[in-house]
Amino acid sequence: PLKPKKPTKEEHRNKQFSLVYDWLAKGVDGGRVSTENILAEMQVPDQDIELATEICVELMEAACSMHPNDWACVIHPSDGGVTTTTLLSFNLQAKLPSLEELRQH
């Protein structure tokens, strides 16, 4: 039998971007969402936590720089010395830019 093809690093990273974006978009509906909340809800495997955190922060920072009147990022230490980034919405009508827009920014 043929072994399933292992995804390349780039394919894996692209899939992680899509997954993190979906959870970020869903979570920010309440006006704020943190990397800690997203990773907990996604149930990210240990080997992907660093990558998922990096992607989450990149997407949050891109949203803030694209629309500074709608979004802000707050960075704070959490338990165990791990840094947590929180995306805050200043405007409840604000929509998170598309994944493609955020990745291009």
Side-chain angles (χ1 to χ4, degrees), residues 14-29 33 38 41-42 55-56 59 96-100 102:
N14 287 336
K15 183 178 178 189
Q16 287 296 311
F17 260 102
S18 295
L19 290 171
V20 171
Y21 177 82
D22 290 345
W23 283 96
L24 180 62
K26 188 181 346 177
V28 82
D29 283 343
V33 66
I38 290 172
E41 289 199 27
M42 284 179 65
I55 289 169
C56 191
L59 293 174
L96 195 62
S98 73
L99 176 59
E100 292 77 26
L102 291 175

Side-chain angles (χ1 to χ4, degrees), residues 45-93:
D46 288 345
Q47 69 268 21
D48 288 337
I49 286 179
E50 190 174 321
L51 175 62
T53 302
E54 177 186 312
I55 289 169
C56 191
V57 171
E58 283 180 34
L59 293 174
M60 288 176 168
E61 288 176 347
C64 293
S65 66
M66 287 176 72
H67 300 284
N69 293 329
D70 291 335
W71 306 103
C73 288
V74 178
I75 300 168
H76 49 92
S78 66
D79 298 335
V82 177
T83 301
T84 299
T85 302
T86 301
L87 180 65
L88 302 172
S89 173
F90 295 136
N91 174 357
L92 293 178
Q93 307 305 315

